[in-house]
Amino acid sequence: MKKSIVPLVAGAALAVTAVSASAATLDDVKAKGSVQCGVSQGLPGFSNPDSQGNWTGLDVDTCKAIAAAIFGNGDAAKFTPLSAKERFTALQSGEVDVLTRNTTWTMSRDTDLGLNFTGVNYYDGQGFMVPKDLGVSSALELSGASVCTNTGTTTELNVADYFRSHDMDYEVVAFEKADEVVAAYDAGRCDVYTTDQSGLYAQKLKLTNPDDHVILPEIISKEPLGPAVRQGDDQWFNVVKWTLFALINAEELGVTQDNVDEMKNSDNPSIKRLLGTEGSFGESIGLDKDWAVNAIKAVGNYGEMFNRNVGPDTELGIERGLNKLWSDGGLQYAPPVR
Amino acid sequence: MAVQDVLPSRKGSSGFSALNDQRVRGVIFQVLLIVAIVSFAWWIIHNTAANLRAQGIGFGFGILRDSAGFQINQTLIDYQETSSYVRVYFVGLLNTLLVSFIGVILATIIGFIVGISRLSKNWVVAKAAYVYIEVLRNIPLLLQIFIWYFAVLRLLPAKRDAIDLGPFGLLNIAGWYAPNPVLGRGFALVAAAFIIGIVATFVLRAWARRRQMATGQIFPLFRVALALIIGLPLVAYFVAGFAFANPPFSLEYPTPGNFGPRGGLRVFPEFIGLLMALSFYTASFIAEIVRAGILAVPNGQTEASYSLGLRPGHTLRLVVIPQAMRVIIPPLTSQYLNLTKNSSLAVAIAYPDLVSVFAGTALNQTGRAVEFILITMATYLTISLVTSLFMNWYNRSVALVER
């Protein structure tokens, strides 16, 4: 009964505990001295524990930035690995304070699930991976294929839409944990592995012979991935939202992990406002004036975070693509601090 | 009041001494307990509703009519992506019942064989059964499911080549593609003949029993039953085939396709893996129950039976097992319930059972945890109660009748 009971327990917890958890999350977080983040159970580049149990990745860094903005220290971030199926109940029930777990922002989740998405830390899209010896070069040649994926994701719906709209047959084999999807795909149970492209790059590393597999060019969906918090707590929503925006603004303004201290002396008013030497933007979200400085010191700006975890020089080797700043032709755009 | 009628001497005594009365106290405590339970339930429901409202999460079962939008590979009833969540529920429920039902039968058969072997005088057989029981019941079920599933997968050839089983279809990593039975026009006749055969066998058995009681003559029931149940439909088959000029029953074989075989009756490796793990695991517990049941029958019964001239096989079947059954059945019921509930581990290996597709995928797509978990819990409760009722009925029918 290992995993299947979790929604039940979380559901029961939701029934009993949620009143205290639904408001004033920031006070709760400050009182307990750490931020509890829901992350994936092991997705290289996004959130993955190493042999010492230290978590690394883009989503992990997002959480560390939030912790640093509040406590001045990125180590105040704690992680709860969650399956796709468990994640929303865990957040709703107050088991975690924020979900930094490659979660697609959709309308129903934003409205009917009682969540608020705070922005996008990775623009993604769903793709397909196939063994090279299948001789397939386009997803349109996949009629009749069996497709391995995770349960409880938008992936299952997108793949259904895609195959249906192209009038192709398929068979879905849906596992609860990503590790089992990889194992089954590796064993040859399925012809195709489908999930967000970032996930494909990450999971490919876990295959016996990663070079024998190829990711097809088609991207069949929009998957804006970002942190989510519970609805009804505007203060906490603002903290998480503006921490992410601060990291993106920092990249745009050329503030990095190394130069953040000297940048405090900058004459640029935008930088001054971001780094708390002008105005009181930290106070307005219930934090110190150094909130952004601390966040940047902990994890660097958005570009540094991207390059360190998933960028071209890492094992995953993902190009910035859509995740470039708006000023470089990408989609990453943060409202100004003013 | 009843208390005063029974105890007239207490008439006129003070309220304080009424509290000392055991029956009065019993009533008071029961009332208090009921009040406590009802208020606890009210508090839970009220609190849940308030929390759901506060967080802006909807509540209601209307969402079950929405279309699901995802695919399920193994469905016993017709299912499309456009089907509603209600249909998802039934697909999941039937898959759960299928694997549980076959699992219960397999586990019972294996459990009885192993349990009886455990008591065998043959040293090797007894020890083999002992090792089986100790190993299987001490390894967590989830692990066994993984071992079975991935062992099943590793043994089988890749998707695009398959082992040709001849008349039994094709076998590869994506499952067993058995020949699919296609029913022709005359099939009803064959089915009718089959049912008549079974009914006739029961009538015959009753008659043979009565005759044996009266005269002591043993009727060769087995051979005649075989002729009735298999022979009769066979005759009907040829008659129907001749009358309608096409066979009432034929097999459609799978054909190779670019992504593995197509057509045929598909048995998924997820199903095989889960079924094997559940059956062998539960069988190890059933074996111990059977052993305990047999040991509970006094040895004198066996000796008495031998002295009447019954052979060991007959002794076991006619004397020992029937008496052991009344010890075996109550714990056996628990094992059946366990097997059914354990089938919810299916989600780990992608078998689309109720928990996986309904309390899993569907719950996640809608986010309505409270509704979906309530329905799922009620469903498992119902399955358990029905199994329990059936087993209790069976238990009463085999219980020792004291005269």
Side-chain angles (χ1 to χ4, degrees), chain B residues 7-27:
Chain B
L7 298 166
S9 62
R10 289 278 172 109
K11 202 174 265 180
S13 62
S14 71
F16 181 74
S17 60
L19 270 180
N20 283 337
D21 189 303
Q22 211 177 358
R23 275 164 298 185
V24 174
R25 274 203 318 248
V27 170

Side-chain angles (χ1 to χ4, degrees), chain B residues 148-224:
Chain B
W148 273 104
Y149 179 57
F150 285 105
V152 167
L153 284 190
R154 291 274 143 71
L155 282 177
L156 300 170
K159 261 199 93 185
R160 277 177 298 171
D161 33 42
I163 306 174
D164 195 341
L165 301 174
F168 300 108
L170 300 166
L171 183 69
N172 71 13
I173 197 160
W176 173 34
Y177 298 76
N180 195 17
V182 180
L183 307 182
R185 283 173 64 203
F187 186 75
L189 203 62
V190 181
F194 181 68
I195 292 168
I196 290 170
I198 289 177
V199 171
T201 305
F202 272 100
V203 172
L204 200 64
R205 190 178 73 151
W207 170 79
R209 250 199 206 159
R210 267 202 312 277
R211 194 178 70 143
Q212 191 178 350
M213 288 292 182
T215 66
Q217 284 174 296
I218 296 176
F219 183 76
L221 186 68
F222 185 73
R223 267 172 286 168
V224 177

Side-chain angles (χ1 to χ4, degrees), chain B residues 59-67 84-86 366 368 371-372 375:
Chain B
F59 183 87
F61 294 93
I63 195 143
L64 291 172
R65 282 193 297 272
D66 289 2
S67 85
S84 68
Y85 288 118
V86 175
T366 58
R368 299 293 186 83
E371 295 92 324
F372 280 69
I375 295 174

Side-chain angles (χ1 to χ4, degrees), chain A residues 229-263:
Chain A
V229 295
R230 285 179 291 275
Q231 258 178 26
D233 186 350
D234 287 354
Q235 186 186 34
W236 181 242
F237 180 44
N238 286 338
V239 168
V240 175
K241 178 168 58 178
W242 281 96
T243 305
L244 179 61
F245 288 160
L247 301 178
I248 297 169
N249 278 322
E251 184 183 11
E252 194 181 329
L253 297 169
V255 181
T256 66
Q257 201 166 11
D258 295 333
N259 72 9
V260 58
D261 281 326
E262 51 194 276
M263 278 295 198

Side-chain angles (χ1 to χ4, degrees), chain A residues 1 15 18-19 84-85 92 113-114 143 146 152-153 156-157 160 164 169-172 174 176 180 187-189 191, chain B residues 47-48 51 55 69 71 73 81-82 146 159 173 259 262 266 268-270 345 347-348 350 361 364-365 367-368:
Chain A
M1 300 302 301
V19 159
K85 205 171 116 177
Q92 288 164 346
L113 271 189
S143 185
S146 58
T153 61
E156 261 182 297
L157 302 180
R164 212 146 40 105
D169 284 347
Y170 71 110
E171 173 211 344
V172 77
E176 173 153 352
E180 280 124 35
R189 170 67 183 88
D191 307 299
Chain B
N47 201 12
T48 308
N51 286 333
Q55 295 189 25
Q71 202 217 33
N73 57 3
E81 287 91 339
T82 45
F146 282 130
K159 261 199 93 185
I173 197 160
F259 285 105
R262 299 183 72 84
R266 179 95 179 272
F268 289 84
E270 289 80 30
L345 289 169
V347 63
T361 311
N364 209 271
Q365 300 301 356
R368 299 293 186 83

